[in-house]
Each structure stands twice: as C-alpha cells, then as structure tokens.
Amino acid sequence: MRRITRIAPAVFSLVAATSALAAPNVQITKSCPGLRYLGRVATFEITVSNSGDTAADNVVVTDMVPQGISFLKASDGGMRQGGNVVWQLGKLGAGESKTLKTSFQCDRIGKFNNVAKVTYCVEATATCEMEVRGIPAILLECVDDPDPIEVGGSVTY
C-alpha cells in the first residue's frame, strides 16, 4: 500500500515596512568680501540652517579670527573667546535658520582664510577667503619758507 502525503504549500507574505528617522540636519554657509583695503572694515556673514525634521539642541557656532585682522563686533550675542567669536545658539528648530554677522578691521595686507563651524552633535564647517590690499595714494605736502609771509615779500614752496 502506497501512502501519498500531500504537503500544503506555506503562504508567506512579506510586508515592507518603512520607518522614517526624524533627525536634525544642520548646515553652515559663510560669505565675506573678496577684496578689502587696508584700514577698512570687513563684514562676514554666517548662515546656520536646520533642514531636518527635528530641532538641533546645543548648537554652537564658532568663527575663527584670522591673524592680521582685528575683531570689532558680532551680532546676536557673539562673544570673543581667544582667537574665535562664539555664539551659543542653543536650540535651532526644524526648518529654522539664523544669520550671524561679524565685523573686522583689516590691519595687514595679504590673503586671509576664515573658517566658521557649527557643532551640535556633529560638526560642519564653511570657509571664505578675503584679500586685503594697500590703498594706492600719493601724499603731497607744501611748506612755505619763510612763514609767516610779509605783505609784498617773496615766498618759496
């Protein structure tokens, strides 16, 4: 006697599950004038934005002060700390952005790289380059001899 056993095929169904991770995504950009002249003020602009789904906590922006350029002021409570300007932004909400400005006095001729960074749980940087040139000028000075001049007298310059 033959015995036939039938095995019913198992039916498996795979369900694709997707889950979205909510996270902040913080970026930084920096702009500065390409050319400034000795003794003039240069303003740098830093924009920090969060294109993520959630807020970024403990956001700190640091802007390096290059040697040969003197720090003058910073917007939004930025404070000079050693060779940097630092902003303690705290929380940067989803979709939020913040623009920060620093002003510097150009004290030396040369090319200057300026780096800004943002940190929260990761770090991102932005760089810009500025050239400082001297101001071409001629100084002409006249001196009269003798001084004062008598009425009707001669003078040499």
Side-chain angles (χ1 to χ4, degrees):
M1 175 162 144
R2 262 173 114 197
R3 189 173 205 178
I4 299 176
T5 307
R6 253 183 171 202
I7 300 175
V11 178
F12 294 100
S13 122
L14 296 176
V15 177
T18 59
S19 62
L21 263 180
N25 184 18
V26 177
Q27 296 100 22
I28 185 170
T29 59
K30 182 170 182 78
S31 64
C32 61
L35 174 66
R36 293 302 296 151
Y37 291 100
L38 192 62
R40 303 291 167 88
V41 175
T43 300
F44 294 59
E45 193 170 279
I46 302 163
T47 302
V48 180
S49 58
N50 179 4
S51 62
D53 302 0
T54 61
D57 293 321
N58 302 317
V59 176
V60 177
V61 176
T62 305
D63 189 21
M64 175 195 75
V65 179
Q67 289 185 351
I69 295 179
S70 300
F71 170 72
L72 297 175
K73 64 181 179 176
S75 68
D76 300 282
M79 300 296 291
R80 175 86 187 253
Q81 293 179 4
N84 297 307
V85 180
V86 178
W87 290 267
Q88 301 284 342
L89 297 182
K91 189 176 217 171
L92 188 64
E96 188 179 352
S97 69
K98 187 97 174 147
T99 300
L100 312 167
K101 293 182 181 183
T102 54
S103 294
F104 298 96
Q105 177 81 31
C106 300
D107 298 330
R108 195 176 77 206
I109 294 172
K111 288 190 179 185
F112 300 92
N113 283 318
N114 184 262
V115 179
K117 70 179 176 178
V118 61
T119 54
Y120 61 107
C121 62
V122 295
E123 186 176 289
T125 60
T127 304
C128 69
E129 184 176 284
M130 178 181 71
E131 181 178 3
V132 177
R133 293 184 187 167
I135 299 174
I138 297 175
L139 173 64
L140 180 62
E141 187 174 319
C142 289
V143 179
D144 59 339
D145 186 30
D147 188 34
I149 305 164
E150 293 182 23
V151 177
S154 296
V155 67
T156 304
Y157 287 98

